Amino acid sequence: AGRGGSLTFFCLWCLPEELVVVTVATRETDGFKRFFRSAKHFNYTVKVLGEGEKWKSGDHTSSPGGGQKVRLLKAAVEDMKDEKQILLFVESYDVVFASGPSELLKKFQQARHKVVFSSESLIWPDRHLEDKHPHVAEGNRFLGSGGFIGHLPNIKEMLADWTGEDTDSDQLFFTNIYIDPVKRKSINITLDSRCRLFQNLHGALDDVVLKFEDGRVRARNVLYDTLPVVIHGNGPTKLQINYLGNYIPNMWTFETGCTACHEDLRPLTESEYPLVLIAIFIQQPTPFVEVFFERLLRLQYPKNRLKLFIYNQVTASFCYCVRSHKRTDHGSLYQDVKLVGPEEEMDQAASRNLGFDVCRKDEDCDYLFVLDIEVVLENEETLQILIEQNLPIVAPMITRVGRLWSNFWGALSAEGYYARSEDYVDIVQGRRVGVWSVPYLSSVYLVKAGLLRSELSTYELFTSSLLDPDMAYCHNVRGQGVFMYVTNMHTFGRILSTQNYQTSHLHNDLWQIFENPVDWQERYIHENYTRIMRDQLIETVSPCPDVYWFPILSDVGCNHIVEEMEHFGKWSGGATTDNRIQGGYENVPTIDIHMNQINFEKEWQKFLLEYIAPITEKMYPGYFTKCSTPLNFVVRYKPDEQPLLVPHHDASTFTINVALNSKDLDYQGGGCRFLRYNCSVQAPRKGWTLLHPGRLTHYHEGLPTTGGVRYIAVSFVDP
């Protein structure tokens, strides 16, 4: 059956002593599919009861129930005629098998009783019955009704007295039989007190650990040093059984890695691409929004099978970016684009509820792909990869650069907040690779639309008076028994930091070199910069000694710096008197704006250290710079303003001079001439920097700009 199979009876082959596993499952949940897979892995014979019935017996976590299971089981065993049959009854939604029938039967025979129940350290549901439970030499004293094994005649005898309602407690029914000395002896019942056959997790979480050995994964009870066969996440331990189910039985081992990650995939063909609604949420000012939409266009998925829902809660330039993507040149590529702006005055929960409902009500919508604006989705095949996983809800793992922060939680605290699972760091750092069931996802994930019309049909999925919207959503998903997964089988991207993002500038992303250094580099550093060392992409300006050229800033970086300076607009007058510098006198004045005037000094200093210093130390061996510089500025040359700069020495150990626009396209003339060596650089390429020593050795001048406007960024380093 796998992920998409139906509830059924299957027998792979006859097993020793005709063991049959009986369970109750009124619907095929993700938990049942996990149970089914583990049973199939060990070749258990399984009979499923209650298919298609309405469940009436509660959830067992807050109140007694389960009588419906007893009724179904009683009816089923009455039809069984083979007196030699051994019956194992277990739950299914929160159970996995850790070993096979042979080990189970051997341990059952060693118990020397006709019926063996699972045991618990906590009594439920009637504490007043505690004193009536027999004492045991070692182990748990109380009966657990979620798992028992026995000979068919004895189980028939045990069930004969059942006359209860579906809403009555199965645990109480079996407990009353067990604490009755006459019935206990007649039926020959005992408890698996040391958890050799059954492990109930409630009350025993600290006792159970994963055991990796010889390509197998087991759950080990460290208190009794046993390896139980059946693992049951009873009561409030559903998250713990989900965690264990990531490994048991042999879902992931150190030897094989993920063994199930390529099962039950949904192959995509060109003629069968499902329709996906991409729901994009812009909740706060976020850097690199333009880049986000550029990446969205590069997503490898047919645009005519995509619809966009964009909720933008932010104003100003963000609105412009969103509106521009909806315009004819981009928006027409998609089947439909729906834009909801800040004028709707929706909060985060309301906007997400609306986005989900757009897909829910669209009969053509097959998947909902949630994508927050701070997600950097570098893998262009992400959407295809997620769809092929064929899972109810699945997220691509993304992390924040240099931190263990990711878009999933490995565990929850008792209060429902973040807790670190034992394997979290290994998953985030890629030491364990696979597809993982997790209790919390955010920022980017894919949802099967069918879920939104069934288990997740409630409109207010994100609404809660106690939890934030993402936590409320995941709480509601878990409450419906729907599993959430994260995959780290591919590298997908990262998530931006939105802390300290200021929107007071024209190009606010320029200030992100500290918060989001990787994205800053991709946006503002020349695409060939990384080739400088590898491919020797440094040019000596012959015949000038110790003068070098290399690419440093991207076209966008150059443009943004120029536009930021012109937006600020307070150019100096080019006079020798200058109150901006120490001493107030400039010997060789230029018409310029200092970086500190636009509060860009720290960012430019970081730029020098990260991108200029390594090149300097390579080209000037033996000199190690801290890139200290009191003076960083952008100079503007215009024929009718200041066309040139007279010969001079720079007050620096070395100088960088970055060309911010293009000769012939933006200006004519210009360049730099080194008088001592009688050589000139007359056509500096946009985004390239000229690196040369300062002080006495490299006496130079700025050649006349004869047309247009020329901009350069200058730093006098280590004065």
Side-chain angles (χ1 to χ4, degrees):
R3 290 175 181 162
S6 61
L7 306 185
T8 186
F9 172 85
F10 70 92
C11 181
L12 299 173
W13 57 66
C14 292
L15 296 165
E17 301 191 52
E18 298 182 356
L19 172 70
V20 63
V21 179
V22 179
T23 191
V24 173
T26 56
R27 61 191 180 98
E28 190 183 57
T29 66
D30 296 321
F32 175 81
K33 295 172 186 176
R34 175 183 59 198
F35 164 80
F36 190 99
R37 184 190 183 279
S38 71
K40 185 177 180 181
H41 178 79
F42 292 113
N43 295 325
Y44 280 98
T45 302
V46 177
K47 185 171 184 177
V48 182
L49 308 177
E51 180 181 2
E53 278 198 18
K54 181 179 180 181
W55 181 250
K56 305 174 185 177
S57 291
D59 61 6
H60 304 294
T61 58
S62 57
S63 62
Q68 188 172 355
K69 293 182 292 184
V70 185
R71 171 177 62 80
L72 291 167
L73 180 59
K74 180 180 179 181
V77 299
E78 288 174 352
D79 293 334
M80 297 179 183
K81 306 303 181 184
D82 187 352
E83 297 295 310
K84 296 180 180 180
Q85 199 162 57
I86 294 178
L87 185 147
L88 171 67
F89 179 83
V90 290
E91 305 281 5
S92 61
Y93 296 157
D94 49 10
V95 164
V96 292
F97 287 103
S99 189
S102 296
E103 180 180 335
L104 179 77
L105 289 170
K106 180 180 178 180
K107 290 180 175 179
F108 171 55
Q109 291 165 357
Q110 291 171 346
R112 301 181 183 277
H113 283 74
K114 296 296 185 179
V115 178
V116 179
F117 271 86
S118 68
S119 67
E120 297 189 39
S121 62
L122 305 173
I123 187 170
W124 170 266
D126 189 347
R127 294 184 178 180
H128 297 94
L129 300 177
E130 179 176 349
D131 292 339
K132 296 185 178 182
H133 280 73
H135 289 276
V136 296
E138 181 185 18
N140 299 326
R141 184 179 166 201
F142 306 112
L143 177 145
S145 65
F148 57 86
I149 185 172
H151 293 274
L152 181 60
N154 303 76
I155 290 178
K156 283 185 176 181
E157 180 183 351
M158 182 175 65
L159 297 172
D161 293 338
W162 171 260
T163 57
E165 301 294 331
D166 284 357
T167 54
D168 289 343
S169 171
D170 63 329
Q171 180 115 335
L172 186 59
F173 170 72
F174 290 121
T175 296
N176 283 327
I177 293 175
Y178 174 66
I179 64 177
D180 185 324
V182 176
K183 291 183 178 180
R184 183 170 68 247
K185 183 177 180 180
S186 172
I187 301 170
N188 198 6
I189 302 175
T190 191
L191 300 186
D192 178 34
S193 298
R194 296 179 62 247
C195 304
R196 299 182 72 242
L197 291 91
F198 305 97
Q199 177 65 65
N200 290 312
L201 295 178
H202 188 33
L205 293 179
D206 293 337
D207 303 335
V208 180
V209 298
L210 288 170
K211 176 181 173 64
F212 296 89
E213 187 176 69
D214 300 329
R216 293 192 62 187
V217 187
R218 297 290 297 266
R220 176 172 176 252
N221 186 307
V222 295
L223 185 61
Y224 306 122
D225 194 22
T226 55
L227 298 173
V229 176
V230 179
I231 316 299
H232 181 201
N234 59 320
T237 62
K238 309 307 178 192
L239 299 184
Q240 286 73 23
I241 190 64
N242 289 354
Y243 170 76
L244 296 177
N246 282 329
Y247 297 93
I248 302 171
N250 297 4
M251 296 288 287
W252 188 95
T253 71
F254 287 103
E255 292 81 2
T256 64
C258 183
T259 62
C261 291
H262 300 289
E263 295 180 1
D264 305 312
L265 299 179
R266 173 179 180 167
L268 289 177
T269 62
E270 291 186 6
S271 60
E272 295 182 352
Y273 277 91
L275 182 71
V276 181
L277 175 67
I278 302 180
I280 299 167
F281 296 96
I282 308 174
Q283 307 288 164
Q284 59 187 339
T286 305
F288 306 107
V289 172
E290 288 184 56
V291 182
F292 173 92
F293 284 105
E294 291 169 3
R295 286 197 175 97
L296 186 65
L297 284 171
R298 295 197 296 269
L299 203 61
Q300 293 300 300
Y301 202 86
K303 298 296 184 292
N304 63 352
R305 300 300 294 162
L306 295 176
K307 294 184 179 181
L308 299 186
F309 170 87
I310 305 174
Y311 175 71
N312 174 37
Q313 192 175 336
V314 189
T315 57
S317 60
F318 292 88
C319 289
Y320 172 78
C321 291
V322 175
R323 287 196 306 268
S324 67
H325 196 75
K326 190 182 177 183
R327 289 182 312 194
T328 304
D329 53 349
H330 293 161
S332 62
L333 298 175
Y334 302 99
Q335 192 175 121
D336 184 49
V337 180
K338 178 179 177 62
L339 175 60
V340 180
E343 67 277 0
E344 298 295 333
E345 298 183 347
M346 285 186 175
D347 61 17
Q348 184 176 352
S351 64
R352 292 177 187 267
N353 287 334
L354 175 61
F356 273 55
D357 205 46
V358 170
C359 177
R360 183 183 291 119
K361 291 179 177 179
D362 184 348
E363 294 180 355
D364 296 327
C365 184
D366 298 306
Y367 287 91
L368 175 69
F369 186 42
V370 176
L371 189 57
D372 288 359
I373 195 70
E374 59 265 30
V375 171
V376 179
L377 210 57
E378 291 194 306
N379 191 326
E380 297 174 3
E381 297 180 349
T382 296
L383 188 50
Q384 294 186 49
I385 292 169
L386 297 182
I387 291 174
E388 287 172 348
Q389 282 299 315
N390 198 26
L391 292 166
I393 302 176
V394 59
M397 189 192 76
I398 56 172
T399 60
R400 187 162 289 163
V401 175
R403 297 177 60 183
L404 288 174
W405 193 98
S406 72
N407 63 322
F408 77 96
W409 295 352
L412 297 180
S413 68
E415 296 76 26
Y417 293 93
Y418 171 82
R420 180 172 291 182
S421 61
E422 183 180 345
D423 57 1
Y424 178 82
V425 174
D426 283 344
I427 292 173
V428 170
Q429 295 183 343
R431 290 192 291 270
R432 299 187 188 186
V433 175
V435 180
W436 314 93
S437 174
V438 296
Y440 174 92
L441 296 172
S442 66
S443 303
V444 51
Y445 49 88
L446 184 74
V447 184
K448 282 188 174 180
L451 283 175
L452 303 180
R453 304 180 189 109
S454 53
E455 288 94 331
L456 305 182
S457 60
T458 301
Y459 182 86
E460 302 286 346
L461 281 174
F462 289 85
T463 304
S464 171
S465 59
L466 300 175
L467 303 173
D468 70 34
D470 285 329
M471 291 177 64
Y473 165 72
C474 293
H475 173 80
N476 289 328
V477 170
R478 296 192 303 269
Q480 292 299 316
V482 177
F483 286 6
M484 296 173 283
Y485 297 86
V486 65
T487 172
N488 65 339
M489 294 184 66
H490 304 264
T491 300
F492 294 102
R494 58 189 175 274
I495 191 161
L496 295 170
S497 170
T498 57
Q499 295 179 347
N500 306 317
Y501 186 57
Q502 303 296 319
T503 58
S504 57
H505 306 285
L506 180 65
H507 295 294
N508 302 291
D509 296 347
L510 269 174
W511 278 257
Q512 286 295 297
I513 191 171
F514 291 103
E515 295 292 341
N516 294 290
V518 174
D519 299 88
W520 194 93
Q521 176 172 322
E522 287 186 359
R523 184 67 162 163
Y524 292 121
I525 295 301
H526 198 286
E527 61 181 356
N528 289 330
Y529 174 81
T530 55
R531 294 175 49 201
I532 290 175
M533 298 299 192
R534 185 185 71 218
D535 300 338
Q536 297 297 310
L537 198 64
I538 298 181
E539 298 185 19
T540 302
V541 183
S542 181
C544 301
D546 295 325
V547 178
Y548 303 98
W549 260 5
F550 57 89
I552 189 68
L553 290 179
S554 67
D555 270 11
V556 172
C558 294
N559 294 343
H560 283 192
I561 291 174
V562 170
E563 291 166 10
E564 199 67 48
M565 292 301 180
E566 288 291 1
H567 179 71
F568 180 73
K570 298 179 181 179
W571 296 93
S572 66
T576 54
T577 301
D578 193 340
N579 295 327
R580 298 172 302 169
I581 61 176
Q582 188 175 5
Y585 180 81
E586 173 58 70
N587 185 45
V588 187
T590 55
I591 292 181
D592 56 47
I593 294 175
H594 290 186
M595 296 294 187
N596 61 14
Q597 289 181 265
I598 62 168
N599 298 316
F600 197 61
E601 191 77 5
K602 291 187 303 180
E603 288 75 14
W604 190 258
Q605 176 76 15
K606 175 72 170 176
F607 160 74
L608 295 176
L609 280 169
E610 291 292 325
Y611 301 102
I612 298 296
I615 309 300
T616 304
E617 292 167 5
K618 176 72 173 178
M619 304 317 297
Y620 303 135
Y623 181 77
F624 300 97
T625 177
K626 295 182 179 180
C627 284
S628 62
T629 169
L631 206 55
N632 305 292
F633 52 96
V634 171
V635 179
R636 183 174 73 183
Y637 290 111
K638 296 170 67 175
D640 58 350
E641 189 176 67
Q642 182 182 12
L644 53 83
L645 195 59
V646 299
H648 63 283
H649 291 291
D650 289 340
S652 67
T653 300
F654 67 90
T655 297
I656 68 161
N657 180 326
V658 185
L660 297 178
N661 56 351
S662 299
K663 184 173 180 177
D664 296 330
L665 181 64
D666 300 310
Y667 66 91
Q668 291 78 46
C672 181
R673 178 170 177 263
F674 295 91
L675 281 73
R676 183 188 296 269
Y677 309 107
N678 192 29
C679 65
S680 301
V681 183
Q682 295 185 345
R685 287 169 252 184
K686 182 178 180 180
W688 284 56
T689 186
L690 195 64
L691 174 69
H692 64 84
R695 300 204 182 275
L696 297 179
T697 61
H698 282 66
Y699 191 58
H700 62 284
E701 64 180 337
L703 299 174
T705 297
T706 58
V709 183
R710 179 188 177 207
Y711 298 93
I712 59 172
V714 179
S715 290
F716 298 148
V717 184
D718 297 345

